Amino acid sequence: MGFFFVVFGVVALAGAVGVVVLRNPFYCVLSLVVHLIALALLFLLLEAQFVAAAQIVVYAGAVMVLYVFVVAYVGGGDRPAALWRASARQRALAIAFGAAVFIELSIAILGSGLRALGTGGPDVPAGFGAPAQIGELLLTRFLLPFELASFLLLVAAVGAVALAGRRGGLGEDRDLSPGRSTLDLPIPAARGTMAEGVAGYGVTTPMPDPEYKGRKLEEGEGV
Amino acid sequence: MSISWYLLVSAAMFGLGAIGVMVRRNPLVILLCLELMLNAGNLALIGFARMWGNGDGQIFAIVVMVVAACEVAIGLGIIVALYRRRLPVDVDELTELHG
């Protein structure tokens, strides 16, 4: 057990160092993949089987593929000077602060009153960390966080499409001249309402100003 | 192995991620270093879950993974939008929100 912990811990830390140190962003991503896989193995040592599997599938699989695509698209290698240009003083300060964070956390961990930290943890039943236990917890005690997480994913997906979509972007110039808005686009005669479905196409529906837009189109002012 | 060793590894990962966020200039690599810090938190959560012997910490870790995936989607979307507008992909030159 101790042997595996040392191996996986060293690989995980080496991957983390690689992410920080390597100059080419593509190699940084690959280094993070190595780090994440070693981390998933550490999770396995901690009896968290489902989280380890999710880590490999979601993180080392899906998220890292996204990173690789964006690195290939943006092409991080074209501005080598901009990737690693921190001055020596800033770098020294950053390393000092990072070391201070590590030392503080270590003091907090080693000086903590939790006596169970010094042990390997209590004996757990055979199903600990298995999908059955995680699923039961997610659908009973943690149902609200589960639903909120799904909603958050939906919002993030919509936001990503809105940000990176071809006809969007951050204030990218749309194809709208100053005097017009999307409300001026031509409105079709049939609106797909229930009244049209019942009474047939062409029956006037109680909606405002379909006549005005139609006439504007016939005169060639629209579009 | 005692749980405190896992927590020490987690602390080292967090420190490395913090150094990366402070040193690097490429927003892509800064996002990667943020992932490092989030994963350090995940390792600590799962270590504590093992220490208590119940699965609540693992649920926390899964929620953290969801949040990280959302952050990646939005962050990479912003980077792609920057690239489309021919803006420099460098956090020191992106000072439009500088007060």
Side-chain angles (χ1 to χ4, degrees):
Chain A
M1 202 67 174
F3 170 73
F4 286 116
F5 170 76
V6 171
V7 170
F8 299 149
V10 166
V11 171
L13 286 181
V17 170
V19 172
V20 177
V21 171
L22 289 174
R23 296 185 180 214
N24 190 336
F26 191 72
Y27 293 149
C28 287
V29 174
L30 294 186
S31 177
L32 191 67
V33 171
V34 171
H35 165 84
L36 291 175
I37 291 174
L39 201 65
L41 294 171
L42 281 180
F43 289 173
L44 266 188
L45 290 186
L46 286 169
E47 313 266 345
Q49 305 131 29
F50 179 75
V51 183
Q55 173 95 357
I56 287 190
V57 171
V58 174
Y59 250 124
V63 172
M64 287 301 119
V65 167
L66 208 59
Y67 268 111
V68 168
F69 268 125
V70 172
V71 169
Y73 179 65
V74 175
D78 55 351
R79 292 166 62 89
L83 300 178
W84 184 277
R85 215 182 38 204
S87 67
R89 209 174 74 186
Q90 183 186 355
R91 203 179 304 175
L93 265 180
I95 291 173
F97 275 118
V101 166
F102 171 61
I103 290 170
E104 279 178 30
L105 287 174
S106 303
I107 290 172
I109 291 164
L110 296 177
S112 129
L114 293 169
R115 265 167 296 165
L117 277 183
T119 69
D123 291 331
V124 289
F128 183 73
Q133 192 203 7
I134 299 292
E136 191 185 336
L137 279 175
L138 272 181
L139 292 180
T140 54
R141 280 187 61 196
F142 297 98
L143 183 61
L144 183 63
F146 178 64
E147 296 294 341
L148 286 179
S150 65
F151 185 68
L152 181 66
L153 277 174
L154 174 69
V155 171
V158 172
V161 171
L163 277 172
R166 187 161 289 281
R167 277 178 291 174
L170 292 169
E172 201 171 329
D173 51 340
R174 289 164 191 255
D175 205 1
L176 291 172
S177 45
R180 302 177 60 196
S181 73
T182 45
L183 295 176
D184 292 333
L185 292 176
I187 298 173
R191 292 167 180 264
T193 57
M194 293 284 270
E196 285 173 359
V198 173
Y201 173 75
V203 175
T204 47
T205 52
M207 298 286 287
D209 76 358
E211 302 298 321
Y212 172 68
K213 294 294 178 188
R215 201 179 306 132
K216 192 177 174 186
L217 271 183
E218 287 167 9
E219 292 168 3
E221 294 172 4
V223 192
Chain B
M1 290 308 286
S2 67
I3 302 293
S4 29
W5 282 105
Y6 290 94
L7 295 182
L8 285 179
V9 170
S10 150
M13 277 167 49
F14 192 87
L16 280 169
I19 290 174
V21 169
M22 286 188 273
V23 168
R24 301 303 295 261
R25 305 288 176 94
N26 189 338
L28 257 170
V29 182
I30 287 179
L31 275 180
L32 288 176
C33 293
L34 281 178
E35 298 283 325
L36 275 184
M37 295 167 79
L38 286 167
N39 277 302
N42 265 353
L43 182 57
L45 282 172
I46 289 183
F48 282 124
R50 180 73 184 84
M51 185 188 91
W52 288 103
N54 68 9
D56 295 1
Q58 301 186 4
I59 303 289
F60 269 70
I62 289 174
V63 171
V64 169
M65 284 167 72
V66 169
V67 171
C70 294
E71 168 238 325
V72 165
I74 297 295
L76 292 182
I78 290 175
I79 290 173
V80 170
L82 287 177
Y83 183 71
R84 282 242 177 83
R85 295 187 67 198
R86 303 283 185 273
L87 287 172
V89 184
D90 183 337
V91 289
D92 273 2
E93 298 181 26
L94 295 169
T95 53
E96 288 176 28
L97 292 180
H98 201 279

